C-alpha cells in the first residue's frame, strides 16, 4: 500500500495479509481485552485500511482455526461479554471461524482511534451474537428468522406440537454445525393455563369412558351425556336451576318456554370442567415431563448427542406478571426456555 509517513491520518491505503499466526502468542493481549487467555488456534487476517483526509474506512476479514479460550481471569478484561459462548456460536464443525469486522469514522471525532473503533465494532458484533443466539441458530439450521429459544406446549399437555417439532429439528441441525455448544432445557408450568387444560383433558377421558365419541366431544356433545355426569355431582334442583337460567319465555302468547341449548350446553361443560379434581402437584408435574419430551425428541428423533443436552435442576413456574403471549397468538400456551453454553 501507500501512506504519508509524516501524517498517516491524511493518507493511508494499506492491505495487510497475515497467514497462520499462532494465537497463544497473543494470549497476554487477549487477557487484557477480553479477560480470557487463548490456549489454542491460529488465525489468518485480510485487513484493508483506507484513510483520506482523516476519515478511516476499515475492513477486517478474520479466519481462525481451532480457536480455544481458557477460563476467565478474575479482574481482567476491558469488555465484559460471554466470549466463550460467542466463540462456540461462531465455530463451525470444522473448527473454523470466519468473521467480518468493518468500521469507519473520522479522527476529528474526540476519542476516535483505530484500536478503539476496532474494539467497539467487535464488541457490537459479539453483543448482538450473544443477545439473540437462537435466531442465529435458526438461520444456520435452514429455518426462517424464527427464534428457537422457546418450545411451546398447549395448556395441560406435555405433548410436542407439530410446529415445536419442526423448530427442534431446525435447532438440532444448527447444533450439528456448532459442535461445541451445549443445551439446557428448562421445564415450565403455568397454573393459570395448565390447570384448566388438565381439567379439560380429565373431562374428555370421563366422557369418552361414558360413550361420548371423539367427534362429539370436539363438536356438539349431546345434552343428556352432559346432564348425566352433572347430576352425579349436583342435586336435581341445581340442574333445574341451571336449565332455567338458559330458558326464556316464548315470544308469542301461550308459547312454550325456549331453551338456549348452546348456552346451556356450554354452562354444563364449563361446570364439569371446573369440577375435575386437579391440584398444583399435578400441574407442576408437567414441567419435568415437558423438559423430557424436548430432550427425548432432540436425542432420539433429531440425532443430537445426548451428552450435549441437559435438564435444568428445578422446574420453572411461569410468573403471571412476566407472562407474554405465545408466538401462536394464543394465551393458552406455556413456553419452556432453552439455554446455550459453551461445552
Amino acid at each position: 500500500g501507500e501512506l504519508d509517513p509524516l501524517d498517516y491520518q491524511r493518507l493511508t491505503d494499506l492491505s495487510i495479509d497475515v497467514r497462520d499466526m499462532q494465537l497463544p502468542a497473543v494470549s497476554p493481549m487477549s487477557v487484557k481485552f477480553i479477560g480470557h487467555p487463548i490456549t489454542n488456534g491460529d488465525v489468518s487476517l485480510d485487513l484493508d485500511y483506507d484513510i483520506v483526509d482523516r476519515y478511516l474506512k476499515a475492513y477486517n476479514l478474520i479466519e481462525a482455526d481451532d480457536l480455544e479460550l481458557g477460563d476467565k481471569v478474575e479482574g481482567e478484561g476491558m469488555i465484559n461479554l460471554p466470549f466463550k459462548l460467542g466463540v462456540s456460536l461462531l465455530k463451525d464443525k470444522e473448527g473454523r471461524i470466519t468473521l467480518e469486522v468493518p468500521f469507519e469514522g473520522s479522527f476529528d471525532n474526540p476519542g476516535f482511534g483505530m484500536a478503539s473503533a476496532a474494539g467497539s465494532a467487535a464488541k457490537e458484533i459479539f453483543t448482538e451474537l450473544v443477545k439473540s443466539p437462537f435466531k442465529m441458530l435458526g438461520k444456520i439450521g435452514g429455518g426462517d428468522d424464527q427464534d428457537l429459544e422457546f418450545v411451546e406446549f398447549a395448556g395441560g399437555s406435555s405433548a410436542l406440537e407439530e410446529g415445536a417439532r419442526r423448530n427442534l429439528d431446525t435447532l438440532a441441525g444448527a447444533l450439528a454445525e456448532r459442535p461445541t455448544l451445549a443445551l439446557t432445557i428448562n421445564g415450565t408450568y403455568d397454573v393459570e393455563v395448565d390447570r384448566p387444560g388438565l381439567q379439560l383433558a380429565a373431562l374428555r377421558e370421563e366422557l369418552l369412558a361414558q360413550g361420548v365419541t371423539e367427534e362429539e366431544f370436539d363438536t356438539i356433545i349431546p345434552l343428556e351425556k352432559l346432564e348425566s355426569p352433572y347430576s352425579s355431582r349436583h342435586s336435581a334442583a341445581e340442574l333445574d336451576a341451571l336449565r332455567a337460567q338458559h330458558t326464556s319465555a316464548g315470544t308469542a302468547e301461550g308459547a312454550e318456554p325456549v331453551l338456549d341449548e348452546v348456552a346451556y350446553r356450554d354452562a354444563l361443560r364449563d361446570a364439569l370442567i371446573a369440577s375435575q379434581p386437579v391440584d398444583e402437584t399435578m400441574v407442576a408435574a408437567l414441567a419435568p415431563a415437558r423438559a423430557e419430551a424436548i430432550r427425548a425428541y432432540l436425542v432420539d428423533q433429531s440425532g443430537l448427542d445426548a451428552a450435549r443436552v441437559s435438564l435444568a435442576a428445578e422446574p420453572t413456574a411461569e410468573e403471571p406478571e412476566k407472562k407474554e403471549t405465545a408466538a401462536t397468538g394464543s394465551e393458552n400456551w406455556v413456553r419452556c426456555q432453552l439455554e446455550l453454553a459453551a461445552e
Side-chain angles (χ1 to χ4, degrees):
E2 59 180 332
L3 61 84
D4 182 339
L6 300 179
D7 185 3
Y8 77 90
Q9 294 181 358
R10 186 189 71 82
L11 174 62
T12 295
D13 184 4
L14 292 179
S15 294
I16 302 171
D17 191 20
V18 178
R19 290 287 173 259
D20 301 325
M21 183 178 75
Q22 297 302 305
L23 285 170
V26 298
S27 192
M29 186 181 297
S30 72
V31 170
K32 177 182 177 180
F33 282 97
I34 67 174
H36 291 269
I38 298 177
T39 58
N40 189 47
D42 60 72
V43 66
S44 296
L45 304 173
D46 183 1
L47 314 178
D48 290 299
Y49 288 78
D50 185 19
I51 305 173
V52 177
D53 295 331
R54 299 178 59 78
Y55 192 88
L56 166 69
K57 289 185 178 181
Y59 172 79
N60 303 269
L61 175 62
I62 304 167
E63 295 181 337
D65 287 307
D66 301 320
L67 173 62
E68 294 180 11
L69 299 181
D71 293 334
K72 183 79 166 64
V73 179
E74 200 64 36
E76 295 287 352
M78 297 171 61
I79 303 173
N80 185 25
L81 287 172
F83 283 98
K84 294 189 79 171
L85 173 60
V87 168
S88 290
L89 284 164
L90 291 170
K91 189 189 298 184
D92 66 21
K93 60 184 178 182
E94 305 300 329
R96 169 160 288 201
I97 294 173
T98 301
L99 189 61
E100 296 183 6
V101 186
F103 58 89
E104 61 182 275
S106 173
F107 288 101
D108 291 327
N109 292 333
F112 180 83
M114 284 191 284
S116 61
S120 296
K123 181 180 179 180
E124 183 179 346
I125 291 172
F126 266 82
T127 299
E128 187 63 30
L129 184 67
V130 299
K131 184 174 71 175
S132 304
F134 284 95
K135 287 189 176 181
M136 174 185 173
L137 291 179
K139 294 177 182 178
I140 293 173
D144 296 326
D145 192 26
Q146 75 265 43
D147 191 342
L148 305 176
E149 183 178 1
F150 296 95
V151 181
E152 295 179 355
F153 290 86
S157 173
S158 60
L160 287 167
E161 302 287 325
E162 179 62 30
R165 291 196 293 270
R166 285 196 302 269
N167 284 352
L168 289 176
D169 285 335
T170 299
L171 178 60
L175 290 175
E177 297 294 324
R178 294 295 185 267
T180 60
L181 283 173
L183 188 72
T184 299
I185 304 168
N186 293 283
T188 306
Y189 68 94
D190 184 336
V191 174
E192 292 183 1
V193 174
D194 284 326
R195 187 194 298 278
L198 286 171
Q199 289 175 316
L200 178 61
L203 177 62
R204 175 186 286 270
E205 290 184 10
E206 178 184 0
L207 294 184
L208 292 181
Q210 294 180 9
V212 174
T213 67
E214 291 276 3
E215 182 180 358
E216 287 175 334
F217 189 89
D218 293 332
T219 53
I220 300 175
I221 304 173
L223 281 179
E224 65 272 13
K225 293 183 179 180
L226 289 172
E227 290 176 330
S228 176
Y230 183 91
S231 297
S232 68
R233 295 175 173 80
H234 302 82
S235 66
E238 288 176 304
L239 178 62
D240 290 341
L242 185 64
R243 189 180 185 95
Q245 288 177 20
H246 300 284
T247 301
S248 59
T251 54
E253 185 178 348
E256 292 291 326
V258 177
L259 174 66
D260 185 344
E261 288 195 9
V262 173
Y264 178 49
R265 183 181 288 105
D266 288 344
L268 286 170
R269 187 173 181 272
D270 290 344
L272 289 172
I273 290 173
S275 68
Q276 299 299 318
V278 172
D279 59 29
E280 189 161 346
T281 301
M282 298 168 64
V283 174
L286 286 168
R290 286 165 172 161
E292 174 55 26
I294 297 169
R295 188 209 65 80
Y297 188 87
L298 286 171
V299 173
D300 299 335
Q301 301 297 320
S302 297
L304 195 62
D305 183 357
R308 299 176 61 191
V309 186
S310 61
L311 306 182
E314 297 293 334
T316 302
E318 184 123 29
E319 299 179 31
E321 63 272 17
K322 294 183 179 179
K323 185 175 171 183
E324 299 177 5
T325 301
T328 55
S330 170
E331 294 183 352
N332 298 321
W333 295 79
V334 180
R335 303 193 300 169
C336 292
Q337 187 175 20
L338 308 180
E339 296 179 12
L340 291 169
E343 284 191 314

